[in-house]
Amino acid sequence: MSALSNSALPDYAELHCLSAFSFQRGASVAQELFDRAREQGYQALAITDECSLAGIVRALEASRKSGLPLIVGSEMRIEGGPAVVLLVADLDGYAGLCRMITVARRRAEKGRYRLLREDFDGLPAGLLALWLPADGRDGEVDWLKSVFPERLWIAVELHRGPDDDDRLQALRELGDRHGLPLVAAGDAHMHVRSRRVLQDTLTAIRHRTTVVEAGALLFPNGERHLRTRRALSAIYPADLLP
């Protein structure tokens, strides 16, 4: 690939990425993720381990070593509610995220968390949200918009599935109905595709089964890695690439 064709590719920052600190989910360590993102010409990389900032020191070290900016965040699943990725925009946002994680972890047994709607009361403006709608339906959109006024995006995560076109259309319609912007994200669980064998094994262990018997518990393909900008530009419309 020529330097000219590289320069013509759209900029991209990955906003949803798990590291090995998402226990039995993430299959790559921070340095591997940052080195890969830098090699692909990303503008930044968000480390968004599930209800945890345990890996953020390693992520900061990897960010500094690679020269690629770190975005601090966390993936959250609200009890009886939607899933979101929270991203830190300033120091107040970081403090707010720390408080939320602490409350959710203290509420549950070790290794688990319980995040409730009430935990979102009074969040600082420096905490942004990506909504991860499961099926393109409206669901909790009114509540989310009240919690994150002008700070809420719909995450579009496409992984070369047979329903990608339909999903993209459903999410565009959802955004249009509620005046919400859309942004591409990868839900990355590994730095390269070849790490899928490990990721499948971790998934089977998490569900206390074997890889052979895990079936639909496994990802259907290896697309949850940090993809090239050329691949991303072929999957996502240009207006969705951050």
Side-chain angles (χ1 to χ4, degrees):
M1 189 185 305
S2 69
L4 180 61
S5 60
N6 266 326
S7 65
L9 293 171
D11 290 336
Y12 184 72
E14 180 54 69
L15 301 178
H16 186 194
C17 178
L18 305 184
S19 80
F21 277 88
S22 285
F23 186 56
Q24 295 180 349
R25 291 185 65 200
S28 298
V29 299
Q31 195 64 62
E32 292 173 324
L33 293 165
F34 273 89
D35 288 347
R36 168 71 175 180
R38 180 199 59 202
E39 290 167 1
Q40 299 310 316
Y42 287 17
Q43 298 298 299
L45 176 63
I47 297 297
T48 57
D49 289 312
E50 186 174 4
C51 195
S52 176
L53 291 173
I56 222 62
V57 172
R58 298 279 183 88
L60 180 58
E61 292 172 348
S63 169
R64 289 171 173 170
K65 186 174 180 179
S66 67
L68 186 70
L70 163 68
I71 301 171
V72 176
S74 184
E75 176 191 292
M76 300 285 202
R77 300 183 184 278
I78 303 164
E79 186 173 88
V84 294
V85 173
L86 303 182
L87 301 174
V88 168
D90 57 26
L91 193 58
D92 287 341
Y94 182 79
L97 181 58
C98 289
R99 286 193 296 271
M100 181 180 292
I101 290 172
T102 299
V103 168
R105 289 288 182 183
R106 285 180 173 174
R107 190 180 281 130
E109 62 186 79
K110 185 175 181 180
R112 299 182 181 276
Y113 69 96
R114 287 185 63 216
L115 186 67
L116 308 178
R117 287 186 179 88
E118 65 195 52
D119 300 329
F120 289 76
D121 294 343
L123 287 182
L127 204 54
L128 318 179
L130 307 183
W131 177 26
L132 306 173
D135 49 19
R137 294 183 300 181
D138 296 49
E140 304 282 350
V141 63
D142 290 336
W143 176 74
L144 284 169
K145 288 177 68 175
S146 70
V147 174
F148 297 99
E150 308 300 323
R151 309 194 311 275
L152 177 66
W153 287 258
I154 297 173
V156 181
E157 300 187 332
L158 305 178
H159 299 105
R160 295 191 184 276
D163 61 344
D164 275 4
D165 290 343
D166 290 341
R167 178 163 178 76
L168 175 59
Q169 181 61 30
L171 292 176
R172 283 203 184 278
E173 292 173 357
L174 181 64
D176 288 343
R177 283 197 301 275
H178 298 286
L180 291 176
L182 277 62
V183 65
D187 189 22
H189 283 57
M190 49 200 157
H191 69 298
V192 291
R193 186 189 298 272
S194 60
R195 196 57 64 86
R196 184 188 175 189
V197 174
L198 175 59
Q199 208 285 321
D200 285 352
T201 303
L202 293 173
T203 300
I205 292 171
R206 188 170 82 252
H207 291 281
R208 300 185 178 182
T209 186
T210 66
V211 172
V212 172
E213 296 175 341
L217 296 172
L218 306 177
F219 292 131
N221 58 35
E223 287 293 305
R224 281 177 172 78
H225 66 284
L226 296 178
R227 295 171 284 187
T228 67
R229 287 187 295 145
R230 179 174 292 277
L232 291 166
S233 66
I235 295 168
Y236 292 102
D239 64 300
L240 300 189
L241 293 172

